[in-house]
Amino acid sequence: MRMLNFIKFKGPFDKDINKEIYWDLKDLKKLRHQSDYYLEVPREGTKEYDDWIFEDTDFAINLANKIINQFKTRFDNS
């Protein structure tokens, strides 16, 4: 939580981007928590299973890549 608060209030970007990254990281944390404790897996071999696997995974990967790219862009230009 300390890292999230640091980014939100004192991060390396302007105020709006710091808050955006804060919320993106909170979403990733929520997905991680859900996958560890509250995962309801559809029956394997069904369309629901295929949609479930790729939907959350793609969302998490895209969100993580967005955050990583914001930091890369920020520090590549320094």
Side-chain angles (χ1 to χ4, degrees):
M1 197 62 182
R2 284 184 186 172
M3 182 190 73
L4 292 178
N5 285 330
F6 174 80
I7 288 174
K8 183 177 181 181
F9 297 109
K10 297 182 182 193
F13 306 100
D14 68 46
K15 190 170 99 175
D16 292 334
I17 293 177
N18 288 337
K19 284 184 182 178
E20 183 180 331
I21 291 173
Y22 167 85
W23 288 110
D24 289 346
L25 287 169
K26 280 195 71 115
D27 286 344
L28 284 176
K29 185 177 184 219
K30 185 173 94 181
L31 284 171
R32 169 66 194 275
H33 184 78
Q34 286 173 337
S35 70
D36 286 348
Y37 299 105
Y38 301 106
L39 196 57
E40 216 174 285
V41 180
R43 208 171 79 240
E44 198 170 338
T46 64
K47 181 177 179 346
E48 290 81 15
Y49 179 82
D50 293 339
D51 291 345
W52 167 80
I53 283 284
F54 293 110
E55 194 173 293
D56 284 349
T57 304
D58 283 345
F59 177 74
I61 289 170
N62 290 334
L63 198 52
N65 281 329
K66 175 185 166 192
I67 295 165
I68 290 167
N69 287 330
Q70 285 174 315
F71 276 92
K72 279 184 176 179
T73 300
R74 167 69 170 94
F75 292 108
D76 283 348
N77 294 330
S78 297

